Amino acid sequence: MLQLISPLLRCLGNLLAGTGGEACREQIRDSRLLVALCAFIQAFLQTRTYIARESLWVMNNLTAEDAIFCSVLLYLNLVPVLIELLPFSKGINIMALHVLCNTAKKGPEYCQQLHQKGVLSALHTTLRMADPELIHLSLELLHMMVAGSSQVACEFVKQEGISLLEAIQYNSQEGLRIRATFILDRYLSPQVLANTPVE
């Protein structure tokens, strides 16, 4: 049975990523699929990392273009499972962040729910990591969250997030420096926060 899991996940992920991905999502729109994927991730994270990574890849493809699966992710409180994956390497944290970004892209209400489930605090950890791709995705997620809610922006400042972005302004990669500076100037400057209505 174990030998079948990875090929099945790869087949499903390929179907979702292909040109018929939308039709495939319509056929398998079942909340139990996300629950099963999370169960695979938790069961095999330490012993068979490749299965956990494949499960996250399928979850990424499910949530990329589908607000319903993103809503299910929030409703079933599966976000904490993704947050727990952020300290892991071997592509696990990258894929977890992709799923969180997919959810945030669905709009401010989704960003607010991500904040309520602890994502903002988790970003304090990923923004300190050395992996440029991880920092890039963390900045992308942070950007969507602070742009969608002044409350989230104020909370990030209270959690001393400004110093994290200021440190990234000295990163060797220009793209990361530019993104960090933009977020600071556009959403987190004292002038902007002072003129932002309380939600």
Side-chain angles (χ1 to χ4, degrees), residues 115 119-121 123-125 127 138-139 142 145-146 149-166 168 183-184 188 193:
H115 169 50
V119 170
L120 191 65
S121 298
L123 288 179
H124 279 67
T125 300
L127 287 169
S138 299
L139 288 172
L142 176 65
M145 292 182 70
V146 298
S149 170
S150 58
Q151 178 186 353
V152 174
C154 290
E155 186 63 29
F156 185 72
V157 173
K158 289 178 182 177
Q159 294 179 8
E160 301 183 354
I162 296 294
S163 60
L164 292 176
L165 295 181
E166 289 176 340
I168 295 173
I183 294 172
L184 282 168
L188 303 176
L193 293 175

Side-chain angles (χ1 to χ4, degrees):
M1 177 67 73
L2 185 60
Q3 294 176 339
L4 294 175
I5 294 176
S6 184
L8 284 172
L9 289 171
R10 176 56 58 127
C11 181
L12 179 56
N14 285 334
L15 285 171
L16 291 166
T19 54
E22 180 57 35
C24 182
R25 272 187 289 271
E26 291 288 344
Q27 294 294 322
I28 60 172
R29 190 164 279 158
D30 189 325
S31 61
R32 291 172 295 182
L33 179 56
L34 285 179
V35 175
L37 291 171
C38 284
F40 287 157
I41 293 166
Q42 292 175 311
F44 298 114
L45 182 61
Q46 301 290 350
T47 57
R48 291 175 174 83
T49 307
Y50 65 95
I51 293 181
R53 191 164 48 245
E54 293 277 4
S55 299
L56 279 165
W57 180 59
V58 173
M59 189 178 293
N60 172 60
N61 291 346
L62 283 172
T63 56
E65 303 294 339
D66 198 310
I68 292 178
F69 273 116
C70 291
S71 296
V72 169
L73 190 77
L74 294 167
Y75 178 74
L76 296 180
N77 199 32
L78 301 177
V79 172
V81 176
L82 297 173
I83 291 176
E84 290 175 1
L85 301 175
L86 296 180
F88 287 85
S89 57
K90 298 181 181 179
I92 295 293
N93 48 15
I94 296 292
M95 292 307 302
L97 270 174
H98 273 297
V99 176
L100 292 172
C101 284
N102 290 342
T103 305
K105 287 175 182 175
K106 301 305 181 288
E109 291 184 3
Y110 289 81
C111 290
Q112 186 64 37
Q113 290 190 63
L114 289 174
H115 169 50
Q116 293 169 358
K117 295 181 184 299
V119 170
L120 191 65
S121 298
L123 288 179
H124 279 67
T125 300
T126 57
L127 287 169
R128 289 189 175 95
M129 293 182 178
D131 187 339
E133 185 179 2
L134 193 67
I135 298 174
H136 169 77
L137 287 169
S138 299
L139 288 172
E140 181 180 348
L141 181 53
L142 176 65
H143 182 185
M144 289 185 283
M145 292 182 70
V146 298
S149 170
S150 58
Q151 178 186 353
V152 174
C154 290
E155 186 63 29
F156 185 72
V157 173
K158 289 178 182 177
Q159 294 179 8
E160 301 183 354
I162 296 294
S163 60
L164 292 176
L165 295 181
E166 289 176 340
I168 295 173
Q169 287 181 305
Y170 293 94
N171 192 281
S172 61
Q173 298 214 6
E174 182 182 12
L176 298 180
R177 298 197 303 269
I178 292 173
R179 176 62 69 91
T181 300
F182 176 80
I183 294 172
L184 282 168
D185 293 344
R186 178 66 180 82
Y187 301 106
L188 303 176
S189 69
Q191 295 85 352
V192 170
L193 293 175
N195 295 320
T196 300
V198 178
E199 296 178 357

